[in-house]
Amino acid sequence: MNPDFNKNEDVMKMTWGEVKKRKEKIEEGGGKKSIEKQKEKNKLTARERIEYLRDKDMPFIEMGSFAGYGMYEEYGGCPAGGTVAGIGYVSGKQCIIVANDQTVKAGAWFPITGKKNLRMQEMAMENKLPVIYLVDSAGVFLPLQDEIFPDKEHFGRIFRNNAKMSAMGISQIAAVMGPCVAGGAYLPIMSDETLMVEGNGSIYLAGPYLVKAAIGENIDNETLGGAVTHTEISGIADYKFSTEQECLQQVKKIMSKLGKNAPGIFNRITSIPPQKDPAELYGVFPEGNKKPYDMLDVIERIVDASSTPGNSSFDQFKMEYGKTILCGYARIDGWAVGIVANQRLNIKNKKGELQIGGVIYNDSADKAARFIMNCNQKKIPLVFLQDVTGFMVGSRSEHNGIIKDGAKMVNAVANSVVPKITVIIGNSYGAGNYAMCGKAYDPRFIYAWPSAKIAVMGGEQAAKTLLQIQVASLKARDKKITEADEKELLSEIMDRYAKQTTPYYAAARLWVDEIIDPADTRKIISESLTAANNNSDIEEFKTGVLQV
């Protein structure tokens, strides 16, 4: 056991405790007063609706809980991006659930709200999962309308996706429990079935005030677009209910009758618990990621044990070659996977040259590219465990063609057709983020441990580079810079850069889907693979032009 195990464990548990503390605050939504107003209208909160709807004996993985974290402070913030969402089970069917949080600015859509909802629809399309929308929104947040309304990845894309998903045969159910206004009115109507709650649910392109201003007509909310109007007159909605609970019960009934997708193609056998306790992951990862550690210690606590007692199921590919990346086949909760993981030990190659852990060298990139292509050939999903500081630099690496070998790996990752699941457990710097399947390379799901750091380069290197640029700029304007001035500038840059590399900063902008408990990594990967197995329509694997 690592002599620093107990210290590492204490630090990681404290770090995860801080994540939970911040998440508890996020779960308050718009605050107690806003929640009380919901209750006065006999309305459940977004989280209560999901809790009532989902199967309690099955996992629910919340996605994007930190969306918008620390953003929009001038408007009072936007907890969870004003939308609660995740993957769970309803009537035994795995599905996506998206619920507007009416306690946050009346459920208004901020730019991050649109991005989060589009991400959830992307998950549904990639994995062919049915979607349940729990609608309660006042529409676009007008002060930021230019950042949410007109562009390709803005608000309107959601309705385009409604149409595309319908054409793909993906079931969509909309339960309207509050306002559904303007362009947002298209979402429930473009879903397969629309349910409404009397007295609270309403659907219209323009509310009573706008109708009065536009055409001079005086009309109340219910007559204009309430549940009775749309189930008895317009025919837009399919069901009406007196209470939210009755409405949600009907959603459960609809879900219980959905047919199953064609059997998935990914291999799964009976699960065997890991050789080593997953709870020990807290102690395996070094405090502050300051020391080398063996990535095998992480893998052995995530993958199934082997059928041969005393071993893990991890079978290494090219074990003695390209040692700063570990590649191998394994099982996670019975699912066959290919694992690509950065090795953080400092090791010597066969030439006796020291290779620094976490850096991708020529041979490592070459090995990983070949392994990724093998997994695509065999239709084995890929799991990337990121703790990477980037590709090796310097004349020796350049002369050996590090860009060529890196390009091979990036090409293989970019063209992969099997599901890719990425977990950032430590550093995720520069082109290493790309090669190890960062967000830009379309992982089906991407998660971060509380210890994750995402940036173009390490904080110290970046700060010193920025300092040199700023000092040179000041000197060019004939400004005198003392050693004390430089130290102050460096401190300011370091503080700013440190804030931008945290998992909170990444999760706020949806660079990762969720910050997860390290001990839950195995369970979350398994649920992600279950979701991926719903879509067995895998394209033919092809790669582009490679420099060999």
Side-chain angles (χ1 to χ4, degrees), residues 23-32 34-35 47 79 101 103:
K23 192 169 179 180
E24 285 169 7
K25 181 64 178 174
I26 288 168
E27 289 174 358
E28 293 177 6
K32 292 181 180 178
S34 296
I35 292 172
R47 294 181 184 278
D101 188 348
T103 70

Side-chain angles (χ1 to χ4, degrees), residues 78 81-82 101-102 104-110 113 136-142:
C78 185
D101 188 348
Q102 216 271 341
V104 179
K105 300 294 182 186
W109 289 65
F110 284 69
T113 316
D136 193 349
S137 172
V140 166
F141 185 63
L142 290 177

